[in-house]
Amino acid sequence: MVKRRKEEDIAGILEFDGRTSEDPEFLEWLADHKSRNGGKIRVSQGGKGVRVMFSKDADMALWQRRSEAATKGKKFVA
């Protein structure tokens, strides 16, 4: 029997320091992402915070801008 390994295209990985997967703001970001029907993302716990793996560059860029806006205390508008 031959085992097949599923390979996925990965655009990149972001780790959000100090956040957990139960963080209310992070959950809001996830809900927004699902409502937009964007690319696939995978969430796991990293060394310093929640780690998110993206299949699309545009999704990764959006999350990065959103994180930077949250760090600066600004409201992010997509």
Side-chain angles (χ1 to χ4, degrees):
M1 180 150 96
V2 177
K3 290 188 177 184
R4 295 180 187 221
R5 184 175 292 186
K6 183 178 177 182
E7 293 186 23
E8 298 179 47
D9 292 331
I10 300 172
I13 299 172
L14 294 176
E15 187 166 333
F16 301 100
D17 294 349
R19 292 191 186 271
T20 65
S21 59
E22 288 86 27
D23 186 308
E25 189 174 25
F26 181 77
L27 291 173
E28 184 181 314
W29 296 352
L30 265 176
D32 180 55
H33 180 84
K34 288 181 181 180
S35 71
R36 292 174 186 267
N37 199 13
K40 294 180 183 177
I41 61 172
R42 182 173 292 168
V43 179
S44 64
Q45 187 62 38
K48 297 179 182 179
V50 68
R51 185 177 294 157
V52 183
M53 184 179 359
F54 299 91
S55 63
K56 291 183 179 179
D57 289 326
D59 290 338
M60 189 173 88
L62 176 72
W63 278 66
Q64 195 164 23
R65 287 192 315 268
R66 183 179 282 160
S67 173
E68 290 168 357
T71 303
K72 293 177 184 175
K74 296 180 180 178
K75 180 73 176 169
F76 179 79
V77 179

